[in-house]
Amino acid sequence: MTERAAQPAPGARPAAPEATAPPAAPTRALARVHSIEDLRRLARRRLPRAIFEFIDGGAEDETTLRANRAAFERVRLLPRVLVDVSRIDPSTRLLGRIAQLPIAIAPMGAAGFARRGADQMIARAAAACGIPYTLATPANASIETIAGIADGAPRWFQIYMLPRRESMLQLIGRAAGAGYDALVVTVDLPIGGKRERDLRNDLSVPFRYTWRNVTDFARRPRWALPMLLGGIPAMENLRGIAPSAPDARGLSSSVGRGFDASFDWDAFARLRDAWRGKLVVKGLLRADDAQRAVDLGCDGIVVSNHGGRQLDGAIATLDALPAVVQAVAGRATVMLDGGVRRGVDVVKALALGADAVLIGRPVLYGAAAAGEAGAVRALEILSSELVRAMQLCGATEIAQLDRGLIAAATAAPPTTWR
């Protein structure tokens, strides 16, 4: 349920954190960056093929990965005109906290493989922008480290279904003790999808060095040297508590091998009882599942197909969104994850009923390309595009991004999944 924030800075762009001035070379490169796709190209040039394709790719034939973008491209807008749009307020309230944009950072495991310290860089960028940051269970930064970096800013912790329930409770307790506002439970990963790019690139954790990937890494010395000097980043939150989770093929197609495929609605209800704060369930596509989650006390729903990285052939998230919104009927915050690359995509998602969107790849492209300055630049781009799109649609605040802006022929009809 979206609520207006009180007196935010209208249309303000996020500023780079003062304490971490970016080096000159990234600044020069970023001067020519005007879109998320520009950042993606920079990231591709800097990263080894295996690492870039781990970030960029999806499962099997990648039909769902492509469908997420195609769904946004199908939707057409009906802008209102002759509206005073000299002042724009893109702020909202998410899970009880003010967000300066209707955007949150999605959980991203192993972000540190794109650039050492990427989790911290993205968390600082999110805090500077005034939006929530979600720390993933298999992140390369600890719960406590991110809590210190994002002190005072909205921060959420994402949990996977680990095989040992006591391990999950330990992580949840640490997140509660560190002051995280919400727990995000990812439910669409009972087993891992088949990520064929990772298999072809010999990508695994720990790295299984082969002629193929050693040659690949050697071609990108700007990436390889920091990894060689500092060591391959560890999944800090899994140290000592879930040894089977980051197993020997943890980044490949069996990424979910160490998770609990038996985790069901009863186990989820017990998890709801164990967490006192806001609870978000991520990975729902069906209206009936969303309704059941809200009935169990969820405060938020993330309509997500894991960025096309698990079940190939799953419905695009934008197409699934209207049915979930209809089923939730305002009883919980509904967010969309997957395929957001432009500010106008945010407008389309909100016009179809979402309260906010989650983004992952855009800021990770930025961090991979130019460190913290690149992550900040990704958020600057999306922020400025969102404000511009609102002005061109005749909407001065988030509440005005309604279904009336969607051309009838392109609006995905509500579908009841039974």
Side-chain angles (χ1 to χ4, degrees), residues 398-418:
I398 294 301
Q400 295 172 3
L401 299 177
D402 57 28
R403 203 174 178 86
L405 290 174
I406 302 294
T410 65
T415 303
T416 302
W417 294 85
R418 299 292 184 191

Side-chain angles (χ1 to χ4, degrees), residues 28-275:
R28 288 196 298 271
L30 291 176
R32 301 179 64 84
V33 166
H34 305 293
S35 68
I36 300 302
E37 179 59 26
D38 289 345
L39 285 174
R40 178 180 177 271
R41 284 193 287 265
L42 283 179
R44 186 170 195 165
R45 288 205 293 268
R46 181 183 174 274
L47 295 175
R49 175 175 177 171
I51 302 300
F52 177 78
E53 292 195 345
F54 167 67
I55 296 169
D56 198 59
E60 297 182 3
D61 294 320
E62 301 186 343
T63 55
T64 296
L65 180 72
R66 293 190 298 273
N68 280 345
R69 279 302 307 150
F72 280 106
E73 292 165 2
R74 285 196 306 272
V75 172
R76 296 292 181 266
L77 296 169
L78 283 171
R80 302 180 178 102
V81 298
L82 296 178
V83 177
D84 179 357
V85 291
S86 58
R87 290 179 64 83
I88 300 296
D89 177 2
S91 68
T92 189
R93 187 178 293 272
L94 295 176
L95 302 179
R97 296 285 303 273
I98 292 172
Q100 294 302 322
L101 301 168
I103 295 172
I105 303 299
M108 291 173 282
F113 295 130
R115 182 183 287 266
R116 290 189 63 83
D119 298 286
Q120 295 94 317
M121 294 169 182
I122 295 169
R124 282 192 291 264
C129 192
I131 63 173
Y133 170 84
T134 312
L135 178 68
T137 295
N140 301 121
S142 72
I143 292 169
E144 294 76 16
T145 296
I146 294 299
I149 287 173
D151 187 30
R155 53 183 184 265
W156 305 343
F157 178 64
Q158 176 268 339
I159 189 78
Y160 280 124
M161 305 300 98
L162 300 179
R164 298 191 304 195
R165 302 291 165 84
E166 63 272 21
S167 298
M168 293 178 61
L169 293 176
Q170 182 179 342
L171 287 170
I172 290 170
R174 286 172 57 191
Y180 282 71
D181 301 285
L183 182 69
V184 179
V185 186
T186 297
V187 296
D188 61 354
L189 194 65
I191 62 170
K194 186 185 178 192
R195 302 183 196 169
E196 295 175 5
R197 293 206 213 189
D198 296 347
L199 294 171
R200 295 188 186 102
N201 291 325
D202 294 340
L203 187 63
S204 61
V205 172
F207 282 137
R208 178 169 55 89
Y209 291 104
T210 66
W211 177 87
R212 181 189 303 275
N213 61 34
V214 168
T215 302
D216 181 26
F217 299 159
R219 291 190 180 115
R220 296 292 187 271
R222 288 189 300 164
W223 175 89
L225 188 58
M227 296 294 174
L228 180 65
L229 295 177
I232 299 299
M235 295 179 180
E236 295 292 343
N237 297 311
L238 296 176
R239 285 184 182 271
I241 66 167
S244 63
D247 66 11
R249 298 188 65 78
L251 279 185
S252 71
S253 64
S254 55
V255 68
R257 181 182 298 171
F259 300 150
D260 185 358
S262 71
F263 198 92
D264 59 12
W265 283 106
D266 290 337
F268 181 82
R270 291 192 293 272
L271 186 63
R272 165 71 279 185
D273 293 338
W275 175 260

